[in-house]
Amino acid sequence: MSGPAACQTPPEVLHQRGPHQMFCGLTGIVWLHRKIQDAFFLIVGSRTCAHLMQSAAGVMIFAEPRFATAILEERDLAGMADANEELDRVVGQLLERRPDVKMLFLVGSCPSEVIKLDLDRAAQRLSGQHGRPILSWSGSGLETTFTQGEDACLAALVPHLPALQEGEAPGLLVVGTLPDVVEDQFARLFEAMGLGPVRFFPGGRAEAQPPVGPGTRMLLAQPFLADTARLLEKRGAERLAAPYPFGEAGTTAWLKAAADAFGVEPGRFDAVTAPGRERARVALARHRERLDGKRIFFFPDSQLEIPLARFLSEELGMAPVEVGVPYLHRTLIAEDLARLPEGVVLSEGQDVEKQLDRCLAARPDLTVCGLGLANPLEAQGLSTKWSIELVFSPVHGYDQAGDLAELFARPLIRRGLLKV
Ligand code: SF4
């Protein structure tokens, strides 16, 4: 499918430092707890952290919870109580009551960082006492954005991945949390290509995490996993460069990177991917009519912004005005970056008032932003899309391409109806 001319030279980047509006890394627990099904996430935080998690994942009240918040009270914050002793007590109670928990994550927060509670050391101490892996990572909102929670969690897991056994094929490692249905679709495509073994990280069980070692080829499914990728490389894995698997073209290029690395015959690759490509093309055509030529503005939030801007411009004819990203990891998004149209403004970081001014001046047809900015922008007559929805919905791969396009088309349809 043709699209606007791609960038010949990398676009200028507007670096912004100032007040920003983004969810913190704790939010990642909402999808991570669904993926690693026998792990427990214990947030060491404040009532604010507990409220955030409760509202982000309220559905958990109907299930056996697999995350909770150990609340740091004023006495802890004032240094009057020994927070380590309190933590040991809470962890002991939790693991005694829940022997089904096979792996525990202690998740740091702004308050635990402020009082300099050393959760790494606590995790080591408690692992020895309880005879099961206890790891720690930080979801603090001081320096992170919400998808970095996943990066921090997976980076904490990497040193605990098993090594490849003698004679074990290193294979392909798909890195990043994907819904099970999407993982199954990709697994079937790779199998039909005769490519393998294919493993997914994170694995669905604490004790079934994939091995890694020299010769492992890794394919990132999410663009926000810089620390995880770096640590996997340290363990010998080699990253395959590819655009991210959004839409028909993105998914094909992503699969092709793996197929080429494993010597899959081009004819076989085409035969295996043809039905999916066709389904995606048909699904996208339905939305192209509505989205073609529409101008879109991204506030920095999910770190999916650049691959999504690539998808929307290349496959649906949209015109990105500004693409804001919390952090620009150039090497991890190089292939998507190179396919952005000429003239797009890239911004890294945020100075929210200035960015709001730019957005209001540009009057885009659609603005992708966090929840906190959506209502004020709607009140100014702009159509918005919540970026967090793009992370919570299955959007990767051929069979989700139409749904992904629909997420962007829906606000425009709604505004059209309201006008009528
Ligand atoms: Fe708020 Fe920080 Fe807790 Fe996140 S970690 S909910 S930003 S206090």
Side-chain angles (χ1 to χ4, degrees), residues 163-231:
L164 289 163
Q165 299 298 308
E166 180 118 9
E168 193 173 15
L172 177 69
L173 188 63
V174 178
V175 181
T177 302
L178 292 169
D180 290 349
V181 59
V182 177
E183 213 170 275
D184 291 347
Q185 289 164 5
F186 285 144
R188 279 198 296 274
L189 287 168
F190 288 129
E191 193 184 347
M193 287 178 214
L195 183 164
V198 179
R199 305 177 181 101
F200 291 85
F201 177 51
R205 298 257 149 214
E207 283 157 10
Q209 296 303 320
V212 63
T216 299
R217 315 284 181 91
M218 69 165 149
L219 197 51
L220 295 185
Q222 305 284 12
F224 43 74
L225 298 173
D227 286 348
T228 305
R230 184 174 48 75
L231 292 174

Side-chain angles (χ1 to χ4, degrees), residues 152 155 248 261 277 294 338 362 407:
E248 188 258 324
R277 296 174 75 164
K294 296 285 190 298
L407 285 175

Side-chain angles (χ1 to χ4, degrees), residues 24 26 46 48-49 52 109-111 139-141:
C24 67
L26 296 186
S46 63
T48 310
C49 309
L52 170 83
S109 65
C110 307
S140 151

